[in-house]
């Protein structure tokens, strides 16, 4: 079995892929779109992609590609605790430039502002790329914000640990594929994600769409608007729902269709949690 993830090794995506598929051949790709295209092109059996962080919000590259371009679905979700470390090749070297993924930089901006206000910031495709780059330029005054796994992978030192601004920091990852894999992780719940497109000639269209779930007692766990990329002011809506009572959800979809509201199911999936102690033992 081959599984695609956002590389290189040492990223949070890599760790999630390891936890989900400990026996698989894990294949790194340079960006999220390439990870998804690898599954579409049948280069891999599953793809692991980040979809939302509890601090920085949705990963738009993932959601927009799944809505606008792909016909693939999430078959499982894994929630990963996020703890960001400041890494360098040695503990006593000066730090003049800090590399990381935009979300990791945002999560650690308070620490950076307090301790390295003069440091230049450089954006990379992933936290692991940042760590590898710093390791490859050991003679430079560089540091990376990355997970502890990256320190182990690239032989870096932890200059400062757990620098994320909020303790409760989690990222949702979707496993894209055809069937739900058997995972040795703690199952939390059953969810479904869909994208709604509302008709222009239906007054109160969003209210009516949400009502199809509300009066049936179906919990919504998320609603977010994204540009349709057709004209200014036109949006589609991403909704996450509790999918424990599947027959009621099916009736809600029938009512949506009757109202002329189109929708695309992005995934029906169980949700699994990686316990924090697992990460700290790495």
């Amino acid at each position: 079995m081959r599984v695609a993830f956002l590389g290189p090794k040492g990223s949070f995506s890599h760790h999630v892929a390891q936890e989900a598929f400990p026996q698989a051949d894990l294949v790194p790709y340079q960006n999220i779109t390439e990870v998804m295209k690898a599954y579409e092109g049948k280069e891999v059996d599953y793809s692991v992609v980040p979809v939302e962080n509890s601090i920085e919000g949705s990963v738009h590259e993932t959601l927009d590609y799944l809505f606008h371009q792909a016909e693939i679905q999430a078959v499982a979700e894994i929630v990963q605790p996020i703890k960001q470390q400041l890494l360098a090749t040695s503990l006593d070297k000066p730090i003049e430039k800090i590399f990381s993924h935009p979300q990791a930089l945002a999560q650690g901006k308070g620490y950076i502002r307090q301790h390295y206000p003069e440091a230049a910031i450089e954006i990379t495709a992933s936290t692991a790329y940042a760590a590898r780059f710093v390791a490859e330029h050991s003679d430079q005054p560089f540091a990376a914000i990355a997970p502890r796994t990256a320190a182990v992978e690239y032989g870096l030192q932890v200059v400062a640990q757990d620098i994320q601004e909020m303790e409760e920091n989690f990222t949702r990852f979707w496993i894209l594929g055809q069937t739900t894999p058997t995972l040795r992780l703690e199952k939390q719940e059953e969810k479904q994600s869909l994208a709604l497109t509302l008709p222009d000639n239906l007054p109160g269209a969003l209210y009516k769409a949400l009502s199809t779930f509300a009066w049936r007692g179906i919990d919504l766990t998320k609603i977010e608007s994204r540009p349709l990329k057709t004209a200014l002011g036109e949006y589609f809506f991403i909704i996450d729902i509790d999918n424990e009572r599947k027959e009621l959800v099916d009736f809600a979809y029938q009512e949506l269709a009757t109202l002329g509201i189109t929708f695309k199911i992005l995934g029906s999936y169980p949700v699994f949690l990686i316990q924090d102690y697992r990460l700290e033992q790495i």
Side-chain angles (χ1 to χ4, degrees), residues 197-225:
T197 306
L198 306 177
D200 293 333
N201 59 350
L202 180 63
L206 180 58
Y207 169 78
K208 291 175 181 177
L210 299 181
S211 295
T212 64
F213 301 102
W215 76 263
R216 290 181 172 88
I218 300 170
D219 288 337
L220 303 184
T221 59
K222 171 184 176 178
I223 179 169
E224 175 183 2
S225 63

Side-chain angles (χ1 to χ4, degrees), residues 51-52 58-68 172 174 192-198 206 210 213 220-227 235-241 262-267 269:
V51 66
E52 183 181 22
S58 294
V59 181
H60 296 151
E61 183 178 356
T62 300
L63 294 174
D64 286 355
Y65 188 84
L66 290 177
F67 175 73
H68 289 287
R172 300 167 60 200
W174 279 354
Q192 194 165 83
S193 295
L194 63 150
L196 298 176
T197 306
L198 306 177
L206 180 58
L210 299 181
F213 301 102
L220 303 184
T221 59
K222 171 184 176 178
I223 179 169
E224 175 183 2
S225 63
R226 291 290 301 146
Y235 301 91
F236 69 95
F237 295 86
I238 299 166
I239 295 175
D240 290 352
I241 64 173
T262 59
F263 59 92
K264 179 179 183 179
I265 296 176
L266 303 180
Y269 48 87

Side-chain angles (χ1 to χ4, degrees), residues 6 13 32 48-52 59 62-63 103 171-174:
L6 177 61
S13 294
I32 293 171
V48 176
V49 291
V51 66
E52 183 181 22
V59 181
T62 300
L63 294 174
Q103 286 207 341
T171 295
R172 300 167 60 200
F173 288 84
W174 279 354

Side-chain angles (χ1 to χ4, degrees), residues 87-91 93 134-135 137-140 142 155-157:
L87 309 179
T89 52
S90 66
L91 297 177
K93 71 184 304 181
V134 169
H137 296 79
S138 58
D139 59 329
Q140 297 296 317
F142 295 164
L156 298 175
Q157 301 294 313

Side-chain angles (χ1 to χ4, degrees), residues 18 120 138 161 202 204 230 254 269 279:
Q18 286 178 314
S138 58
Q161 62 180 354
L202 180 63
T230 52
Q254 292 175 29
Y269 48 87
L279 194 59

Side-chain angles (χ1 to χ4, degrees), residues 12-269:
F12 283 113
S13 294
H14 182 221
H15 181 247
V16 169
Q18 286 178 314
E19 289 286 316
F21 304 98
Q23 305 301 321
D25 179 14
L26 304 182
V27 186
Y29 287 83
Q30 291 189 355
N31 59 61
I32 293 171
T33 299
E34 288 185 4
V35 174
M36 293 184 283
K37 284 184 174 180
Y39 176 77
E40 286 185 298
K42 299 182 179 180
E43 299 173 23
V44 296
D45 300 288
Y46 291 98
S47 286
V48 176
V49 291
V51 66
E52 183 181 22
N53 177 261
S54 59
I55 297 176
E56 294 302 310
S58 294
V59 181
H60 296 151
E61 183 178 356
T62 300
L63 294 174
D64 286 355
Y65 188 84
L66 290 177
F67 175 73
H68 289 287
Q69 301 182 55
E71 294 298 331
I72 52 181
Q73 293 192 3
V75 295
E77 177 176 298
I78 298 179
V79 179
Q80 165 74 72
I82 301 297
K83 292 186 179 296
Q84 303 285 9
Q85 322 299 322
L86 184 66
L87 309 179
T89 52
S90 66
L91 297 177
D92 55 355
K93 71 184 304 181
I95 296 176
E96 298 176 7
K97 188 175 289 188
I98 299 174
F99 297 80
S100 198
H101 185 272
Q103 286 207 341
L105 290 167
Q107 292 160 16
K109 62 185 176 183
Y111 180 89
I112 296 172
R113 190 182 301 116
Q114 179 180 355
H115 296 275
Y116 299 98
E118 303 301 321
I121 302 299
E122 290 287 340
I123 292 174
T124 59
S126 75
T127 54
Y129 274 115
R132 188 174 71 179
F133 183 85
V134 169
E136 291 172 349
H137 296 79
S138 58
D139 59 329
Q140 297 296 317
F142 295 164
I145 298 176
R148 195 178 299 274
T149 49
V152 176
E153 185 72 33
Y154 300 110
L156 298 175
Q157 301 294 313
V158 178
V159 177
Q161 62 180 354
D162 300 349
I163 67 169
Q164 68 280 353
E165 290 190 26
M166 298 178 65
E167 183 64 28
E168 292 296 313
N169 188 0
F170 298 87
T171 295
R172 300 167 60 200
F173 288 84
W174 279 354
I175 298 176
L176 307 177
Q178 286 189 324
T179 59
T180 301
T182 301
L183 304 181
R184 298 179 180 179
L185 297 171
E186 179 184 342
K187 181 180 174 181
Q188 301 291 299
E189 56 187 329
E190 290 278 347
K191 290 171 62 178
Q192 194 165 83
S193 295
L194 63 150
L196 298 176
T197 306
L198 306 177
D200 293 333
N201 59 350
L202 180 63
L206 180 58
Y207 169 78
K208 291 175 181 177
L210 299 181
S211 295
T212 64
F213 301 102
W215 76 263
R216 290 181 172 88
I218 300 170
D219 288 337
L220 303 184
T221 59
K222 171 184 176 178
I223 179 169
E224 175 183 2
S225 63
R226 291 290 301 146
L228 264 176
K229 302 183 180 180
T230 52
L232 185 65
E234 294 186 352
Y235 301 91
F236 69 95
F237 295 86
I238 299 166
I239 295 175
D240 290 352
I241 64 173
D242 182 340
N243 198 33
E244 296 290 348
R245 295 184 291 174
K246 295 178 175 59
E247 70 287 349
L248 291 181
V249 173
D250 290 339
F251 287 133
Y253 290 163
Q254 292 175 29
E255 185 175 348
L256 287 176
T258 301
L259 291 169
I261 297 170
T262 59
F263 59 92
K264 179 179 183 179
I265 296 176
L266 303 180
S268 301
Y269 48 87

